[in-house]
Amino acid sequence: MTDASAPTGDAPDPAARQSFLDLLHAQRVWDTELPAFAPDTAPPTPLGLFLAWFAEAVAAGQAEPHTMTLATADADGLPDVRTLMLHDADERGWHFATHSGSAKGRQLAARPYAALGFYWPAQGRQVRVRGPVTACSTAESAADLRARSTGALASALVGRQSEILDSTAALDRASDAAWERARAEPDAEVATWTRYVVEPREAEFFQGDARRRHVRLRYRRTADVRTGAGAWERELLWP
């Protein structure tokens, strides 16, 4: 009889676990001079601050500053997360794209709300965005795909994202065919390719500090009862 209280999975041997812990505890955070951040000088909207911080991350040599985590909820309401690329940030919100039939596409169709996370360790900065998600028009989604590289188009043409893969050989065949078509038809359409926009209801900017006196500035969208338009409130948070 199996002990239901016993842990599942393969536990590492003690030497491997100790080696892992030694490596883990030897890591250092923000082993560089961090910029100062005076929240009282921040712009009135989160978009302005994001654009400034993004430019500063690029100037600081941050690798892949356009990558971000996207958190959604599955059919059981449980969190799911993955890393993908930012496609734009404007007055509508933060943009990304994926197949509508992918796991995240299906999750967003059922629960159109998401959270984004950016981490730029070169400057000890994080940005978090939460809000409802809207699918863009077919025309805008098609334009998004046309603006990307041949490799991105080939990947989109392969499709079947998140489905079970029988073998790597099957992927090789599908990928080779997709690359050939992408080169021959740079304007090929992919019906499931969809651009999404996260409309921010909250946006938090975190500036790390070597003495752990981190600065956290949160923007919150509030309704203006007089005009019906949204306004932004800013507040500091304890680290």
Side-chain angles (χ1 to χ4, degrees), residues 14-236:
R17 172 163 173 73
Q18 188 57 54
S19 177
F20 163 73
L21 290 175
D22 291 343
L23 286 172
L24 181 63
H25 297 155
Q27 303 311 303
R28 294 293 175 264
V29 179
W30 308 323
D31 192 15
T32 184
E33 184 174 348
L34 299 178
F37 173 47
D40 56 332
T41 65
T45 68
L47 177 62
L49 186 54
F50 178 84
L51 297 178
W53 274 26
F54 183 86
E56 291 169 13
V58 173
Q62 175 63 56
E64 301 182 354
H66 60 315
T67 58
M68 61 185 186
T69 56
L70 167 69
T72 54
D74 67 13
D76 296 318
L78 300 176
D80 201 355
V81 68
R82 74 287 290 165
T83 301
L84 70 171
M85 289 192 301
L86 176 71
H87 285 207
D88 197 2
D90 60 16
E91 68 282 355
R92 289 186 293 167
W94 277 250
H95 300 233
F96 65 93
T98 188
H99 289 283
S100 58
S102 67
K104 52 187 173 292
R106 296 194 305 271
Q107 291 167 1
L108 289 171
R111 291 180 170 83
Y113 208 95
L116 303 175
F118 295 84
Y119 179 46
W120 299 321
Q123 294 193 300
R125 287 176 170 173
Q126 299 180 54
V127 180
R128 300 166 59 206
V129 178
R130 295 200 302 167
V133 180
T134 302
C136 294
S137 67
T138 300
E140 190 171 2
S141 296
D144 176 275
L145 187 56
R146 286 196 297 271
R148 304 190 71 203
S149 66
T150 301
L153 174 57
S155 178
L157 287 168
V158 171
R160 304 189 65 177
Q161 190 176 61
S162 305
E163 295 182 18
I164 300 297
L165 176 65
D166 294 331
S167 68
T168 55
L171 173 60
D172 290 341
R173 290 191 297 271
S175 180
D176 289 344
W179 270 93
E180 184 176 346
R181 185 183 175 193
R183 294 189 182 102
E185 303 177 47
D187 292 330
E189 295 184 358
V190 180
T192 58
W193 188 256
T194 305
R195 182 158 171 157
Y196 295 90
V197 183
V198 179
E199 177 191 345
R201 294 289 172 83
E202 291 185 10
E204 181 189 325
F205 294 79
F206 172 103
Q207 174 62 68
D209 177 80
R211 297 184 64 185
R212 301 301 190 268
R213 295 181 297 193
H214 314 308
V215 179
R216 296 175 61 189
L217 174 64
R218 180 170 64 187
Y219 290 79
R220 287 194 303 113
R221 193 77 154 177
T222 60
D224 188 324
V225 295
R226 295 171 300 174
T227 66
W232 287 106
E233 287 187 357
R234 297 184 300 175
E235 53 199 3
L236 293 174

